[in-house]
Amino acid sequence: MLESLRSIVQEVNAARDFRNVLDIIVSQVKASMDTGICSVYLRDAEEQDVFVLLATQGLNPDAIGKVRLKEGEGLVGLVARKAEPVNLGRADQHPNYAYFPETGEEAYNSFLGAPIIHHRKVMGVLIVQRQNQRPFDEGEEAFLVTVSAQLAGVIAHADATGELSRLTSLKQQDERVELVFTGVPSAPGVAIGTAVVMAPVSDLNAVPLRTADNIDQEVEQFKAALTATRKDMKALDRGLVGKLNDEERALFDVYLRMLDDHALGGEVVEKIKEGFAAPSAWSMVVLDHVSRFERMEDAYLRERAADVRDLGRRVLSYLQESENRIPVYPDNMVLVGEELSATAFADVPVEKITAMVSVQGSSNSHMAILGRAMGIPTVMGAVDLPWTEVDGAELIVDGHRGQVVTWPTEEHKAVYIHEMEEEKLLAEDLKVLQDAPCITCDDSSIALWVNTGLRLDAKLSLDRGAEGVGLYRTEIPFLMQDRFPSEEEQRQVYREQLEMFNPRPVTMRTLDIGGDKDLPYFPIDEANPFLGWRGIRVTLDHPEIFLLQVRAMLRASEGLDNLRILLPMISNLNELESAKRLIDQAYKELTEEENIPLQKPKIGAMIEVPAAVYQVEEIAGRVDFLSVGTNDLTQYLLAVDRNNPRVAELYHSCHPSLLRALKMVADGAARAGKPVSVCGEMAGDPVGAVLLVALGFRILSMSANNLLKVKAILRQIRVDEVSALLNGIVQLEDPVMVKSRLEEAISSPEIDRLIRPVAVH
Ligand code: PEP
Ligand code: MG
């Protein structure tokens, strides 16, 4: 059974299109289960309570698209309504049985139907039928349920990309029709621009679909890539004389022949002549061959798929090298990638980026944080976006609602242009608050600091009237390098920050890598990276890296005295003591051995692991200040990966448990007499900021972009009122209720304008 399942999944993954997927499902399931009929019904994209027969083996194929059942109607509708399998020996005797003469099914008595469910929604029903009058056995039922569960994702993807609606409505539709893809809202704002796809090199599955500008030139480049690869293969072959026997080496001849005109080479030239650019044509042809090998019965031949893939990568890297497209970056470009990372900023002119879309990641991934820091509307986790196919397409990116619209209609664009104008007006109106103090209506003063990491966001912060830096993420300059930066290189970068903000305090966090922040030159490969070697754990294991960084920070602070050092991911007191000892060591080296006059910086600990919440007083007793990282604290407290779009809906900073934990931190710090700030993203969300003030926090650190909105909202509330509200709110059981109760309580036209994006219909 496992073998049949593997082969079904493999064939489905290699299918040309969704029609082909459905045909594979019915024919393979029918063959593996040895049934007379196998059919798939899917929910109609327009009439959502109707299920349509879309593929069958065994029933009359003319019935496809014609047999339509409402939820609850017939046995198919029963499976859909119950959302569980129905297994019958005599289907015709069941009260729900409905007979459709056009299907020609009368001879089939036994019936087994399994629902196809994705994210709790029944997308369709998979049916098998036999002539005998016995129910299917338990093993068969379990098999059908397994197949359905595996296929649900593919069907949901077809639904999102519009392929399903093309089939169910049976209308001819233009490929370039407007489609809306949903992801995770990650940096607010709306933008319209042209997609520029960032693809990793030499990855056959990530070649952007591009057309050829000049066909002859593409063919020539392709031939040159083949010649270069042939040369490499021959050199490789020569190097293996004596190491492999002749038979094994003969494989190289096979590869060389595969590149010939009557094999892969010829097919690719044909594709280029159809108008595809050489890398696109090559990847399509190679992947097609790889999938054919993968589906072969013979294990030896199946293994050859890896060889074809390897050959494919070799030619592709030559093609990409010779692709002497001088990249032309449109002024309003939307950066699109499967897994966008900060390194993209090194390759493109940052000032031209108008929006960002990533297929992977979620709202607290570091790319999202950068998007917010730079005021670039960002959608992460757009898992269904056919990202390799949108290069050059016009896109609307809606960072408020987490939507990406491909090939938008003029009407839709007009609605968004209106929203962009509204946003511009709001930003203009907020400018007057730049130099105004952040004081609530009952005279409490709240310090608004900023989170920085790039030179760009530091400049923006000063323009917005930031009172200090609550979190300088030092890993960002580390990410932009191809090796660890030297002490002097670090000193210069840190000095610039300290000087720019002087005399305001700058809180520099020691290197916080691991989790989703991998340095290209120091990869950490772990099964469970967020629970693994990250933050202080890495740097305490590598005191040479830690000491170098702390020395650079201290030297940078000479004569400025506005440095504060913050330690990330503290989960026990030992880590704190060890880190403090190392900071002391660096301080002594510099002041006593190297005679540099330095003031000792204040040292703080991040509270971002639940264990630290319960030891907050002990931690506070050992440091000068605390800073709460709500991004990680939420992830660890709620057990929700901050990067995983599948569970993004569970990641909620209004969760009552999180509020209670935050209250413990605020109270603990107050008892210990130590200042505490919040530097997680919650502080930069206007509603989150109100909650934090109600909880007792008086220093909030956020992306510069949110600073004026937060200031505007805090200047309109009373601390005594929101604190009184809080007592009732933390008793609520549900995060959505918490948010709406608070929003309702503080609602006014001025406040609503700050917290709600304009509705788009
Ligand atoms: C946090 O975890 O809230 C935080 C501020 O740090 P980072 O997002 O860099 O992990
Ligand atoms: Mg963190």
Side-chain angles (χ1 to χ4, degrees), residues 364 366 369 451 471 473 475 509 512 516-517 534 606 608 628-633 642 679-681:
N364 279 290
H366 285 88
I369 291 173
N451 297 346
L471 171 64
R473 290 185 166 95
E475 51 282 357
R509 181 173 68 183
D512 184 21
D516 68 333
K517 287 178 287 191
R534 71 168 291 215
M606 285 199 74
E608 53 181 345
V628 188
T630 47
N631 306 340
D632 278 313
L633 187 56
R642 64 194 264 183
C679 62
E681 296 299 304

